[in-house]
Amino acid sequence: MDIFQQWLLLRIQERFGVGSTPMDNEIPFSSIVSLIKPIFEEENALLDEVELKRNLDALVALGFLTVAGDMYFLTFRAIVYSQTSSSISQFAKEEFAQYVSR
């Protein structure tokens, strides 16, 4: 998993990994776009939705997300990862800022 995928997973978990059964929360692609598009705009960068989809597919392949139809779902692995990743979250944010700048 690359640094952008780590950051993306953490953002998705922060926003959608709430409630008593966070793995049952439906996450439409459009909601993910709405979640991160303002961050790209803040950095005067365009959000490439095809690239975003490729990164989401990588998170599915790695077992952090599942997909059914047009809906994504967090997995238990994603929940555990996000809870233990506080030590890398600051690093991920800094690396993402550099990624967007490029």
Side-chain angles (χ1 to χ4, degrees):
M1 175 170 31
D2 71 24
I3 197 73
F4 178 75
Q5 292 163 357
Q6 291 174 2
W7 176 85
L8 180 59
L9 179 61
L10 292 173
R11 294 292 298 176
I12 292 170
Q13 195 283 328
E14 286 173 0
R15 172 66 176 90
F16 301 103
V18 295
S20 59
T21 55
M23 293 179 294
D24 292 338
N25 294 342
E26 295 180 340
I27 309 167
F29 179 73
S30 60
S31 293
I32 297 170
V33 170
S34 296
L35 176 68
I36 66 168
K37 190 172 186 175
I39 297 166
F40 275 76
E41 290 173 346
E42 188 176 297
E43 296 293 330
N44 294 320
L46 294 175
L47 175 62
D48 182 348
E49 291 187 17
V50 172
E51 183 68 12
L52 176 59
K53 180 80 168 127
R54 185 191 67 74
N55 282 288
L56 290 168
D57 290 344
L59 291 171
V60 169
L62 292 168
F64 291 105
L65 297 174
T66 58
V67 65
D70 293 333
M71 297 294 171
Y72 290 91
F73 297 86
L74 291 163
T75 64
F76 181 72
R77 182 177 190 173
I79 302 297
V80 170
Y81 178 82
S82 66
Q83 297 301 317
T84 60
S85 66
S86 60
S87 62
I88 67 160
S89 66
Q90 183 59 37
F91 176 73
K93 289 176 186 176
E94 292 167 4
E95 287 292 315
F96 176 71
Q98 291 177 4
Y99 174 83
V100 170
S101 297
R102 285 185 238 140

